[in-house]
Amino acid sequence: MEEAGNDNMIFKNTGGSLPVPNVQSFAASKDCTEIPEKYIRPELNDSILVLNGAVGQGDIPIIDLSRLHHPQHSEDEMLKLSLACEHWGFFQLINHGVPNEVIEKMKTAMGEFFQLPLEEKKAYGQPPDSAEGYGQAFVVSEDQKLDWADMYILSTNPVHGRNLKLWPTNPPTFKGALEQYSLELRKVSHVLLDSIGKSLKIDEFIVRMNYYPPCPQASKVLGLSPHSDAGALTILLQVSEVQGLQIKKNGVWLPVKPLPGAFIVNIGDIIEILSNGKYKSIEHRVMVNTEQERMSIATIHNPRFDAKVGPLPETLEKSEPYYKTISHHEYIRMLFSSKLEGKNLLDRMKLEA
């Protein structure tokens, strides 16, 4: 077995996150009747939400991965994919080919990990100056509002970059389940990126497992602050049946209802930058439930560590660049040096008019 840990460049010297209280433990305690002020979000009173049915089959585009391979249907499906990336930045992916057995094993392994005693989970806590491990992310100030969630973040690809000290031995099925799941999603992401048409060498995969405990004042807190994803592409697996994901479309928050067996895929800031603004990363947030926990697994796909992040040359043939070009390392440092807030990282990447 390889002893990874020193070569995990994507998390090296990223600044990490300030330590915060464990939300799962607090939510299970007798003290969880009055929610601490740090979690209360007054802005939720002003947000506009569509309540007449969750967004699902009739709204967010649906992409059939099997049709992208089919000689008679690939052209039509690729056009649908392009329009989804351009106008929505989100889509549901069906017939993706990932075996249900692989998905169910990953769901079970994640659930068993989060049910471990807190002290056992803390053994895999985030080291200083790194965002990888069990804990939180994007907490850069003692004064900022906190999300009602705990996270477990692991780098799975490249293999030599894994920090196996942060991979749990309990449950014993965890490592095998995550390895197989990552392998399958690597295949899916390659098909999607080839179809989108971006000459992007995907080499870094990060898996972020999200645990959102129930909250007695769920309407006043956020499981995950509004943000667009900083990476290239995110593939989300809904682990529990509890809904909570919302996307921002034309200033309105729309609830997302995952289709059975589907992945939810969204374009990240890096693809918006590479396409020079043609394809859009979209703000989204997570609400929590008063009675039930919510769990999800986000697999975030990034370019190789030594890549440049900036508009691709072919996007500049008829347009001036709208974004800077910087190293991926510098981009990652910018990401972890600020809190999760809207499209703040993308705004920092924009060139002045």
Side-chain angles (χ1 to χ4, degrees):
M1 179 182 294
E2 71 270 40
E3 274 299 324
N6 296 325
D7 298 323
N8 192 349
M9 297 300 293
I10 196 167
F11 288 113
K12 191 173 182 179
N13 299 321
T14 54
S17 181
L18 294 177
V20 296
N22 182 268
V23 182
Q24 183 182 3
S25 178
F26 175 71
S29 71
K30 295 180 180 179
D31 298 327
C32 190
T33 53
E34 196 69 28
I35 305 304
E37 187 64 28
K38 279 196 171 187
Y39 295 96
I40 301 296
R41 303 296 188 106
E43 69 270 20
L44 288 175
N45 297 326
D46 302 321
S47 62
I48 303 172
L49 175 66
V50 172
L51 295 174
N52 296 328
V55 179
Q57 289 178 303
D59 295 280
I60 290 180
I62 300 169
I63 302 299
D64 187 334
L65 194 71
S66 66
R67 288 173 65 93
L68 289 173
H69 293 292
H70 199 287
Q72 292 183 334
H73 303 298
S74 61
E75 190 172 334
D76 289 343
E77 205 66 19
M78 285 179 74
L79 177 60
K80 283 177 61 179
L81 176 60
S82 179
L83 291 173
C85 296
E86 190 171 344
H87 298 293
W88 279 89
F90 262 81
F91 56 89
Q92 303 215 44
L93 188 69
I94 62 173
N95 295 327
H96 43 69
V98 179
N100 188 60
E101 180 185 6
V102 172
I103 292 174
E104 291 304 318
K105 284 182 177 179
M106 187 65 241
K107 287 181 178 181
T108 299
M110 177 191 170
E112 289 178 353
F113 174 81
F114 276 96
Q115 291 308 313
L116 294 174
L118 177 58
E119 290 306 312
E120 192 169 345
K121 290 187 294 237
K122 279 184 174 181
Y124 307 102
Q126 294 160 336
D129 205 30
S130 174
E132 187 173 17
Y134 178 69
Q136 253 295 352
F138 309 107
V139 182
V140 298
S141 166
E142 298 286 353
D143 302 321
Q144 77 182 68
K145 293 291 185 177
L146 299 178
D147 291 336
W148 191 261
D150 299 317
M151 296 179 181
Y152 188 27
I153 304 172
L154 293 173
S155 176
T156 62
N157 202 70
V159 174
H160 69 261
R162 295 175 180 175
N163 186 349
L164 293 180
K165 294 177 182 177
L166 296 177
W167 288 50
T169 55
N170 189 22
T173 57
F174 186 96
K175 184 175 182 290
L178 181 54
E179 285 180 330
Q180 190 61 40
Y181 181 76
S182 299
L183 182 65
E184 293 292 338
L185 260 65
R186 185 180 188 185
K187 300 174 188 175
V188 173
S189 67
H190 283 174
V191 174
L192 288 175
L193 289 163
D194 286 346
S195 301
I196 290 170
K198 297 298 154 213
S199 53
L200 178 65
K201 299 297 182 184
I202 290 294
D203 190 48
E204 302 276 2
F205 290 5
I206 299 168
V207 173
R208 190 188 71 222
M209 289 156 274
N210 308 301
Y211 185 91
Y212 307 100
C215 178
Q217 295 176 285
S219 62
K220 296 182 178 181
V221 305
L222 282 170
L224 196 59
S225 299
H227 68 289
S228 59
D229 287 353
L233 192 77
T234 301
I235 301 177
L236 184 77
L237 172 65
Q238 180 101 351
V239 174
S240 58
E241 297 299 318
V242 179
Q243 297 173 27
L245 176 64
Q246 298 177 353
I247 66 172
K248 195 173 188 180
K249 178 75 169 170
N250 299 324
V252 176
W253 288 104
L254 306 174
V256 176
K257 182 179 180 180
L259 297 172
F263 289 121
I264 298 173
V265 182
N266 65 279
I267 297 300
D269 292 344
I270 286 180
I271 284 186
E272 178 163 339
I273 293 167
L274 290 171
S275 68
N276 203 30
K278 178 183 179 181
Y279 296 146
K280 303 292 190 286
S281 63
I282 300 298
E283 276 190 69
H284 49 286
R285 69 184 186 184
V286 174
M287 307 299 292
V288 300
N289 192 277
T290 54
E291 303 292 336
Q292 295 176 283
E293 65 188 15
R294 180 178 184 272
M295 293 187 288
S296 65
I297 302 173
T299 305
I300 303 157
H301 303 75
N302 291 305
R304 47 196 278 177
F305 187 75
D306 59 355
K308 293 287 185 182
V309 177
L312 292 170
E314 55 264 36
T315 68
L316 304 178
E317 293 175 357
K318 298 180 181 180
S319 174
E320 294 295 318
Y322 299 133
Y323 303 95
K324 306 171 186 175
T325 296
I326 63 175
S327 71
H328 189 213
H329 180 225
E330 184 181 353
Y331 180 83
I332 292 295
R333 286 189 63 84
M334 285 174 60
L335 167 65
F336 286 109
S337 67
S338 58
K339 65 179 180 178
L340 210 58
E341 185 175 35
K343 301 186 74 169
N344 60 344
L345 179 60
L346 200 65
D347 290 340
R348 292 165 68 186
M349 285 292 293
K350 286 181 179 177
L351 293 169
E352 293 184 10

